[in-house]
């Protein structure tokens, strides 16, 4: 297979993947990889002794929920998808809140919007720490 043939086949493959997502219009194309759905019936447990949650300021995203360990060591959990257009937010311990890198929306540690363009809060979930195991639930 020469370069031209390879690019032709790869290009067709990518187009095949993207076209169905874009059929709804150009605005749908710009939202590929995002979701504005809020997880419901959340109930999972994370081992906090290793990984991102083992240190203050760390965070991870699991099942559409962002779980963070604040700078004072408490655990918080909110829906990960920005309520503006669905890009996952990240946790900033320095700002004591969640930030969306796409258009700059900010939320406090309880998920309340503190800066637009988002206008709706993130959904807050309950957390219970038992030993090293953190339960996150609705
Ligand atoms: S998608 Fe988050 S601010 Fe626009």
């Amino acid at each position: 297979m020469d370069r031209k043939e390879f690019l032709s086949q790869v290009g067709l493959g990518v187009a095949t993947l993207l076209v169905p997502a874009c059929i709804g219009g150009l605005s749908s194309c710009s939202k590929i990889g995002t979701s504005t759905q809020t997880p419901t019936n959340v109930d999972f447990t994370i081992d906090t002794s290793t990984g991102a949650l083992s240190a203050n300021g760390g965070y991870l995203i699991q099942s559409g929920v962002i779980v963070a360990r604040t700078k004072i060591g408490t655990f918080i959990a909110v829906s990960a998808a920005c309520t503006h257009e669905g890009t996952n937010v990240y946790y900033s311990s320095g700002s004591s809140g969640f930030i969306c890198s796409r258009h700059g929306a900010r939320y406090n540690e309880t998920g309340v919007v503190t800066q637009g363009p988002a206008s709706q809060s993130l959904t807050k979930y309950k957390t219970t720490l038992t030993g090293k195991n953190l339960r996150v639930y609705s």
Side-chain angles (χ1 to χ4, degrees):
M1 175 183 308
D2 65 13
R3 182 174 179 264
K4 186 175 179 181
E5 186 179 359
F6 172 78
L7 291 174
S8 173
Q9 289 186 3
V10 170
L12 183 58
V14 171
T16 303
L17 290 173
L18 294 178
V19 167
C22 297
I23 285 175
L26 186 58
S27 64
S28 296
C29 291
S30 66
K31 295 180 182 177
I32 292 171
T34 62
S35 170
T36 54
Q37 294 183 345
T38 299
T40 56
N41 300 319
V42 170
D43 195 351
F44 58 84
T45 301
I46 302 170
D47 179 352
T48 61
S49 65
T50 62
L53 297 180
S54 63
N56 292 354
Y59 71 92
L60 58 78
I61 296 176
Q62 180 170 320
S63 303
V65 176
I66 182 167
V67 183
R69 184 170 182 160
T70 68
K71 58 187 168 190
I72 60 170
T74 57
F75 292 95
I76 53 178
V78 297
S79 51
C82 178
T83 60
H84 180 230
E85 289 185 355
T87 299
N88 281 343
V89 298
Y90 67 91
Y91 177 69
S92 168
S93 61
S95 300
S96 298
F98 300 91
I99 300 172
C100 178
S101 60
R102 190 159 179 207
H103 306 113
R106 290 175 175 254
Y107 305 83
N108 68 18
E109 289 184 339
T110 61
V112 174
V113 177
T114 58
Q115 177 179 303
S119 59
Q120 292 186 314
S121 298
L122 300 171
T123 299
K124 187 175 186 293
Y125 299 98
K126 298 171 191 160
T127 59
T128 300
L129 185 64
T130 305
K132 63 181 181 179
N133 294 319
L134 181 71
R135 180 182 176 209
V136 179
Y137 56 105
S138 301

